[in-house]
Amino acid sequence: MKRAGQMLFALFGLFVLGGCWNRVELNELSVIMGTAIDVEDNQWLTTFQVIIPQAIASQTVGGGGVSQSPISVFSTKGDSLAQAIQKISLESSRTPFFAHNRILIISEKAAREKGVSQIVDFYLRDGESRETVDVVLSKGPAKSILEVLNPQEKIPANAIDRIFYETETQLSFARRIKLSEFAAMLVTPALSAVAPEIRISGEREHRQSIDELAQTRQKAVLKIGDIGVFRKDKLAAWLSRDESIGIAWLSDRIENSVISFPCSDEEPESRRSTFLVDRSRTKITPVITSDTIKIKAAIDAHGTLDETGCNVNLSKPESIKLMEGQIKKQIERDIALSWKRAQALKTDIFGFGDKVHIHYPRKWKQLEQQWFDKLPDIELVSDLRVSIRRTGMINDSFSSKVKE
Amino acid sequence: MERIGKYELAAMIILFEVGSSSLFQLGAKANRDAWISMLLAFAAGLLLLGMFLYINGQEGRRNFADTLRRHFGRWLGTLVAAAYSLYFAYESMRNVRDFGDLMATTFLTNTPISFIMLVLILLSGYAVYKGVEVFFRTVGILLPLVGFSYILLIVLFFASDVLRTDRILPVLEDGIAPVLKAVPSIVMFPFGQMVVFLIFWQFAQDKSFVPKVSICAYLVTGTILTILNVCNIMILGAPLAGISSLPLLHAVRMMTIGAFMGRIDAFVVMLLFLALFVKATLWYLSSVVVLGQLAKRTDHRAFVAPAGVLIYFASFLEPNYIYHIWIGIEVSTLRIFPWFQIALPAALLLIIAVKKRRSKR
């Protein structure tokens, strides 16, 4: 009798501990790689990029022929985000699975009108989606971004993530903003959140066709565009690419970058050289006196000369000095451009407010409320140290040899 | 007679204390200075631990219920011991509910919480049925696994660049007052919960190692908890860490190393499960052991089932998780726990000290 009871108990355990209540079958899932959020008729319009597993598998084996699109895109509408997402089941044969979602594209309209708080709340609250998803903005409808195929990657959402990674590490003017970081920026009172824009460049009507992949030059490609600046949780303005490189300099985010600079103040603009930044450090120190606020930016950058069209003798240390002077001027111009724009917009995209908060916690209490209004009166003093460490595989400029 | 070794005792203290505390952002009221509150509470908890150890040192191998009866008198002593048993059961129920809700929000979203908690209470009941020695040895086996995981987690935090030191600056912006305000609740949870070992120290193989081992293990847990607390703030920032219902889990989810290591949150949830199981079971066990002592029986097993049923059904009393957390923070920690963690032990200490003085004269 006792034995039978034990057996029964063990059997019961088997059933319970299998966890079958929450079973998820792999072939019943649709893996969502990218999400786009638009606003239409005051409703949320969510668009999803879903992997077609068979299409991806066949391409790896066959290699040659392109027959089926590796992804499928569909849109749903709802009064709330969760409702819109639930409506997938009206048209999808599989359960949506969000854990592999790589990018979240928010349209300008949604970011301007509705604000992003609700979207962030939804993502932080939901257990399945990751906080490491990249937040991206789009000027046009966000859904169309997800329709563009990329020749180099099978899954376009992965391609977008990779494009950001490449830009971040090679050019530094735009970087990936993860949802976690985006949320942290939004809740820091004196910081204005930023997020990069992605756009379709080329002929938009060709973007959806799988036949596109048979061409060597795509008619439509995805490209990183401007940087969106937020005021509270609403999109307020765009910074152009030229205006945004200064953000990277002032917030110590330069990993690698190329700076093209003129040979000298007198020479024509057409002759320029390029400096490749290997490493850079920026130290921001606010200095507050009784009536003025100054922000000191000490930047220390070094790198390699990448190309030159100038007629210089690079074996002489003084010509290197001259070039360094030109690079400094170029960086100063870049920084000034960003700073002026930020001042005009009354947004703090560099986190200067945070620095003041840390250095002057007492004074910050009075400044906090009117920080953004104070921005135009703040003086930015930059102190640059640029050093060209190496000049690559040749010393003297090739141009100078041609002329002799 | 059941006996606990040095290592088992240390293992239990570490797992028990780290336990469910890493679920919450302790001292969230102090914002980015939470870690200072944490250190202060840690120091205050050390005083409490000293008090518990002193009481234990005076009583030799006498069990807890007998100690209470001896010093508070027969009736009052019995009443106090019964109250302790109830308190332990309540603490156990809190952990069972934590476990249920953690599971329901993370892994098993469709499984009814009643089922999840039933599985836990059955498992705990089995461990309690097996007794003190077996359970302590089980935890001795679990410690290397959990300890290694926590160390790995902290190393990974530092290896991936999610830690931002400027998130804990400026230190003490609003002065010391908000920091001090957050201290009492951290003293009660988790540091003051060391009171449970008043039941178990008497089982030590050799009573002389008890103070040293207990204090060392306590220092280890305090360090781990403080590091995790600081990491949470440095990763999430104080505002997000404050609103997150599972800050450690959120923090872990933010972490990616290279392009391949991400999503190790499943691993952290497992860690939290283990810790919650240990904690719920130890409270359950202590409640049952005290009942056994009250009934003057060497065998406590008769009480396993009734206590289990009580704990299981009590865990349904709260209508939702919000209420569960609210009652934990606002009511229990500040109105109920101080009685069992400070007032009663202090009264006991006072009586023992007075009696000792008299007998010397």
Side-chain angles (χ1 to χ4, degrees), chain A residues 9 12 16-17 21-22 99 124 126-132 178 180 183-184 187 253 357-358 361 364-365, chain B residues 32 107-112 115 118-119 122 164 166-167 169-170 173-174 236 239-240 250 253-254 256 263:
Chain A
F9 191 75
F12 170 73
V16 175
L17 296 173
W21 221 305
N22 261 87
L124 289 178
D126 185 52
E128 198 173 87
S129 46
R130 293 191 204 196
E131 286 81 354
T132 48
K178 290 179 184 172
S180 54
V187 290
R253 293 282 183 179
H357 188 183
I358 289 167
W364 178 247
K365 290 249 179 291
Chain B
R32 65 177 88 74
F107 274 3
L108 301 176
T109 41
N110 298 330
T111 313
F115 231 79
L118 182 67
V119 172
L122 285 178
R164 293 262 308 272
D166 54 339
R167 294 224 166 101
L169 294 172
E173 187 190 13
D174 299 308
L236 299 169
L240 280 187
H250 257 139
R253 293 171 64 135
M254 309 257 159
T256 41
R263 199 78 179 172

Side-chain angles (χ1 to χ4, degrees), chain B residues 207-263:
Chain B
K207 289 217 71 175
S208 61
F209 69 64
V210 165
K212 207 176 141 195
V213 169
S214 302
I215 290 172
C216 284
Y218 178 82
L219 293 177
V220 170
T221 51
T223 319
I224 294 176
L225 287 177
T226 312
I227 292 176
L228 288 177
N229 190 294
V230 176
C231 284
N232 281 348
I233 299 173
M234 290 209 283
I235 293 169
L236 299 169
L240 280 187
I243 62 164
S244 176
S245 33
L246 296 160
L248 183 66
L249 196 66
H250 257 139
V252 169
R253 293 171 64 135
M254 309 257 159
M255 177 168 76
T256 41
I257 296 170
F260 72 100
M261 261 193 83
R263 199 78 179 172

Side-chain angles (χ1 to χ4, degrees), chain A residues 17 46 69 74 84-86 127 134-135 148 187 198-199 211 226 229 241 263 289 299 363 375 377 393 399:
Chain A
L17 296 173
T46 50
S69 164
F74 48 87
I85 289 168
Q86 285 306 318
D134 299 336
V135 178
V148 182
V187 290
I198 196 146
R199 60 168 70 141
D211 298 334
D226 297 346
V229 182
R241 200 174 302 168
C263 296
T289 56
I299 298 173
K363 287 230 170 95
L375 277 172
D377 307 326
M393 307 273 280
S399 315

Side-chain angles (χ1 to χ4, degrees), chain A residues 23-267:
Chain A
R23 75 191 178 281
V24 180
E25 306 294 339
L26 200 56
N27 55 359
E28 285 170 11
L29 288 181
S30 70
V31 179
I32 289 174
M33 293 302 292
T35 310
I37 296 177
D38 288 282
V39 169
E40 242 181 55
D41 315 325
N42 212 25
Q43 276 193 315
W44 296 100
L45 176 73
T46 50
T47 307
F48 307 95
Q49 187 178 87
V50 172
I51 301 183
I52 310 294
Q54 308 90 296
I56 290 176
S58 72
Q59 276 183 36
T60 354
V61 181
V66 182
S67 50
Q68 190 181 8
S69 164
I71 51 135
S72 158
V73 175
F74 48 87
S75 302
T76 50
K77 230 183 217 185
D79 294 328
S80 68
L81 282 166
Q83 194 198 32
I85 289 168
Q86 285 306 318
K87 281 191 184 163
I88 295 179
S89 40
L90 291 178
E91 49 183 296
S92 169
S93 56
R94 297 178 170 208
T95 320
F97 184 61
F98 283 90
H100 292 283
N101 194 4
R102 297 292 285 273
I103 48 164
L104 168 67
I105 307 169
I106 304 170
S107 75
E108 176 170 7
K109 194 165 174 237
R112 274 191 201 271
E113 289 171 9
K114 293 249 186 187
V116 289
S117 299
Q118 196 175 343
I119 303 170
V120 172
D121 179 285
F122 178 74
Y123 266 77
L124 289 178
R125 203 178 289 281
D126 185 52
E128 198 173 87
S129 46
R130 293 191 204 196
E131 286 81 354
T132 48
V133 52
D134 299 336
V135 178
V136 183
L137 301 171
S138 81
K139 283 184 181 165
K143 59 179 181 185
S144 50
I145 304 283
L146 290 178
E147 294 160 2
V148 182
L149 290 169
N150 183 298
Q152 296 174 59
E153 306 280 336
K154 272 169 208 149
I155 302 159
N158 274 350
I160 297 176
D161 185 61
R162 292 289 309 162
I163 290 171
F164 275 104
Y165 175 75
E166 288 300 314
T167 309
E168 181 182 316
T169 49
Q170 302 302 322
L171 279 170
S172 298
F173 75 81
R175 63 189 175 93
R176 276 192 291 191
I177 306 278
K178 290 179 184 172
L179 186 90
S180 54
E181 199 194 342
F182 191 59
M185 287 195 284
L186 287 168
V187 290
T188 311
L191 185 68
S192 311
V194 290
E197 181 230 355
I198 196 146
R199 60 168 70 141
I200 303 168
S201 98
E203 301 166 44
R204 302 190 50 164
E205 57 273 22
H206 286 287
R207 64 181 188 267
Q208 307 170 4
S209 168
I210 185 78
D211 298 334
E212 264 298 283
L213 292 180
Q215 316 276 326
T216 53
R217 183 186 285 272
Q218 262 60 50
K219 290 200 179 103
V221 287
L222 290 179
K223 208 173 195 172
I224 293 180
D226 297 346
I227 303 281
V229 182
F230 285 76
R231 201 172 279 133
K232 293 219 170 104
D233 77 321
K234 293 206 165 101
L235 182 66
W238 295 102
L239 294 191
S240 71
R241 200 174 302 168
D242 291 336
E243 288 166 335
S244 51
I245 182 74
I247 306 176
W249 283 112
L250 288 174
S251 47
D252 198 12
R253 293 282 183 179
I254 295 277
E255 281 190 48
N256 265 314
S257 193
V258 283
I259 298 163
S260 129
F261 58 96
C263 296
S264 65
D265 297 338
E266 300 87 45
E267 287 213 40

